[in-house]
Amino acid sequence: MALDMSMFNRFAVTFEKGDIIFCEHEPGDTFYLIQSGRVQIVKIMEDLEKNLDILQPGEIFGEMAILEDSPRSATAIALDPCKLLEFNQENFEVLMQGNPQIALKLLKLFTKRVYDQKRRFMILTLEDEQARVADVFLMLAETQQRQLNDNDERTFMTSVDDIAHWAGMSTDKVRQILNHFVAQRRVDIFSDRIVVKNINDFQRFVNTRRK
Ligand code: CMP
């Protein structure tokens, strides 16, 4: 089925920097493809605003409410002046059929979301809290898409808060565990990054705790 590309003009919407595109818990029947500008996805957890992701042009968001028939799972904010294409349930099907590129993008996105959820669950099922923190680094290493090698030093542009979020633990507890890793010379902490000296050592450590 051919898609009339001019139809996309009908879906174009713009937002100013700082505009809230939609709020968590709102009902939602639209999803968006970013044409220009960045969109931040945030969630309020324990009274704090947590950054879930910063999405770039070409990425899609707002698909969960439409597909799961549920309220918005997070808030979307325009980080820059943004041009978006907005789609609703009615044009969803026609778009999927007529635009394999967007259908493929959505498929990849769902695969990633399912993978992320499964991976998070694996982390949370570890009883040993040190292993849980180590497993967060392994998860971050997987997103770097490089094979784990021995003596493989990895740098992660992440914060203690983010690790606490993924590990399902308090920031204080994670800081305590990271300080322990620093004392063991397994990790170095900087203001903007955390360096794991040998990621494979963490892999072995987590494997022993998973049994
Ligand atoms: P929806 O639930 O409709 O509205 C919030 C959107 O944020 C959601 O769809 C996803 O598109 C996006 N989103 C939710 N959770 C995450 C996450 N962990 N990382 C990136 N994007 C997310």
Side-chain angles (χ1 to χ4, degrees):
M1 178 188 172
L3 188 75
D4 175 9
M5 294 306 280
S6 68
M7 74 188 283
F8 284 124
N9 292 333
R10 285 197 284 127
F11 307 139
V13 285
T14 57
F15 291 89
E16 296 301 318
K17 179 181 169 143
D19 278 357
I20 292 181
I21 299 164
F22 56 69
C23 284
E24 188 177 350
H25 305 309
E26 267 177 18
D29 59 0
T30 48
F31 75 98
Y32 300 87
L33 171 67
I34 306 175
Q35 288 199 295
S36 65
R38 294 166 309 152
V39 172
Q40 185 179 26
I41 304 290
V42 299
K43 201 170 167 69
I44 306 294
M45 284 187 275
E46 291 161 14
D47 289 341
L48 290 175
E49 193 179 273
K50 288 270 186 188
N51 174 38
L52 290 186
D53 214 343
I54 293 179
L55 306 175
Q56 309 288 333
E59 293 194 89
I60 284 172
F61 66 97
E63 78 296 340
M64 285 163 79
I66 211 171
L67 289 164
E68 293 171 11
D69 200 15
S70 57
R72 296 292 187 196
S73 60
T75 297
I77 303 168
L79 272 190
D80 307 306
C82 283
K83 274 193 198 153
L84 311 175
L85 294 180
E86 182 182 63
F87 302 102
N88 62 25
Q89 220 144 5
E90 275 168 38
N91 37 55
F92 184 75
E93 244 178 62
V94 77
L95 186 73
M96 292 299 102
Q97 289 168 358
N99 194 319
Q101 267 180 330
I102 292 190
L104 191 64
K105 218 182 254 287
L106 270 174
L107 188 65
K108 284 186 180 161
L109 184 76
F110 299 147
T111 311
K112 182 177 179 302
R113 292 247 205 279
V114 170
Y115 175 79
D116 284 352
Q117 279 179 13
K118 187 178 143 230
R119 196 62 187 83
R120 178 111 203 270
F121 181 73
M122 280 171 69
I123 293 169
L124 296 179
T125 52
L126 280 163
E127 277 179 29
D128 182 316
E129 290 182 318
Q130 289 185 17
R132 237 190 272 171
V133 172
D135 202 23
V136 171
F137 286 113
L138 291 175
M139 180 201 69
L140 294 173
E142 285 156 21
T143 65
Q144 294 179 332
Q145 295 183 334
R146 276 165 37 209
Q147 258 193 322
L148 302 188
N149 296 310
D150 227 351
N151 300 318
D152 190 357
E153 185 176 289
R154 294 287 180 103
T155 299
F156 301 104
M157 309 306 284
T158 189
S159 66
V160 177
D161 273 353
D162 285 343
I163 294 175
H165 163 64
W166 280 103
M169 290 158 59
S170 72
T171 306
D172 282 349
K173 184 69 201 174
V174 170
R175 194 164 283 126
Q176 195 186 323
I177 290 172
L178 286 175
N179 286 339
H180 176 70
F181 286 154
V182 170
Q184 291 180 321
R185 298 179 190 282
R186 288 170 129 173
V187 158
D188 279 334
I189 304 178
F190 300 91
S191 57
D192 60 342
R193 65 194 190 282
I194 298 176
V195 176
V196 173
K197 303 277 189 68
N198 181 351
I199 193 76
N200 216 26
D201 159 53
F202 270 0
Q203 178 75 76
R204 283 190 289 264
F205 174 57
V206 170
N207 286 348
T208 61
R209 295 300 191 277
R210 188 153 269 138
K211 285 167 190 162

